Amino acid sequence: MKIIAGEAKGRKLKSRKGTDTRPTLANVKESLFSIIQNYIEGCRFLDLFSGTGNIALEALSRGAEKAVMIEKDPEALKIIIENINDLGFENRCRAYKNDVIRAIEILGKKNEKFDIIFMDPPYKEELCRKVLKAIRKADIIEKNGLIICEHHIFEDLIADEEGFKFTDRRLYNKKAISFFVNE
């Protein structure tokens, strides 16, 4: 797994052994960033269910101003921190060990706002709607901010959710990426 473009292009990222963490595949990541490339420069990026930090670190490499990564698994968080340090992004990002819903509540209480929020929750739990609801309640997405949900194709996210406007859905085998805008 590597950073595809930007200042850290070609740099390898560490990943956990086994199937507990399933990083976004390179072809899906490349497609995602080609879709959102005009939103990245100078943005504040939130990566929920961060895993290896792969997506947020790619955003930083491509010019995001700052990134926050949330991961509740301590082993995965250790790898995220190693990846941050290996890339030299310590001053531009933070990684927290926490449950995603609880982290969203805390970020809301701190009046944090993000331009892009990416989530890739465990597919079997179908958490996207629950997380979208928490994002709305905590008010952590900027007006016209982009929310990206990577999910299993059977999790139906094609309608407007929690007041966010559905704008696009891309299919990649058994996964989908759905895009919402905070209007």
Side-chain angles (χ1 to χ4, degrees):
M1 182 173 44
K2 294 180 181 180
I3 298 293
I4 297 170
E7 68 183 89
K9 179 180 179 177
R11 301 277 302 275
K12 289 185 178 182
L13 297 174
K14 293 178 182 169
S15 182
R16 211 166 142 186
K17 304 285 185 233
T19 59
D20 291 336
T21 303
R22 42 168 191 76
T24 299
L25 299 173
N27 65 326
V28 176
K29 182 169 81 165
E30 193 162 354
S31 176
L32 168 65
F33 278 92
S34 73
I35 294 166
I36 66 170
Q37 66 186 352
N38 294 332
Y39 297 89
I40 296 294
E41 188 68 37
C43 81
R44 289 159 296 162
F45 195 98
L46 176 61
D47 187 354
L48 303 172
F49 308 96
S50 197
T52 60
N54 180 24
I55 298 296
L57 295 169
E58 184 74 36
L60 287 167
S61 180
R62 291 174 182 243
E65 178 184 315
K66 95 175 196 181
V68 173
M69 296 175 239
I70 307 298
E71 176 57 57
K72 74 176 182 179
D73 182 277
E75 285 182 52
L77 185 69
K78 182 180 174 203
I79 289 170
I80 291 168
I81 292 167
E82 287 176 19
N83 284 330
I84 291 168
N85 292 336
D86 288 349
L87 295 174
F89 289 161
E90 312 82 2
N91 295 330
R92 295 172 39 207
C93 66
R94 303 182 317 251
Y96 296 107
K97 180 188 172 294
N98 210 333
D99 171 77
V100 163
I101 301 299
R102 181 71 187 122
I104 290 169
E105 291 169 357
I106 292 167
L107 291 167
K109 287 178 182 170
K110 291 180 173 183
N111 295 315
E112 295 247 20
K113 295 270 190 180
F114 299 91
D115 303 297
I116 300 175
I117 298 176
F118 175 82
M119 70 177 89
D120 183 8
Y123 290 172
K124 63 185 175 212
E125 297 179 37
E126 294 191 10
L127 292 170
C128 289
R129 279 191 181 89
K130 183 177 180 180
V131 175
L132 286 166
K133 185 176 186 172
I135 290 168
R136 170 62 66 209
K137 185 175 179 184
D139 190 30
I140 62 169
I141 185 82
E142 290 284 4
K143 181 148 180 65
N144 299 315
L146 184 63
I147 302 171
I148 305 159
C149 308
E150 185 174 324
H151 57 94
H152 194 280
I153 59 171
F154 296 121
E155 187 174 2
D156 188 24
L157 288 176
I158 57 173
D160 293 351
E161 299 283 347
E162 295 301 323
F164 300 120
K165 180 177 174 41
F166 173 80
T167 60
D168 196 2
R169 182 178 192 205
R170 304 292 173 101
L171 302 176
Y172 305 91
N173 199 4
K174 293 183 179 180
K175 71 173 60 182
I177 298 182
S178 296
F179 297 84
F180 297 87
V181 172
N182 184 31
E183 291 191 317

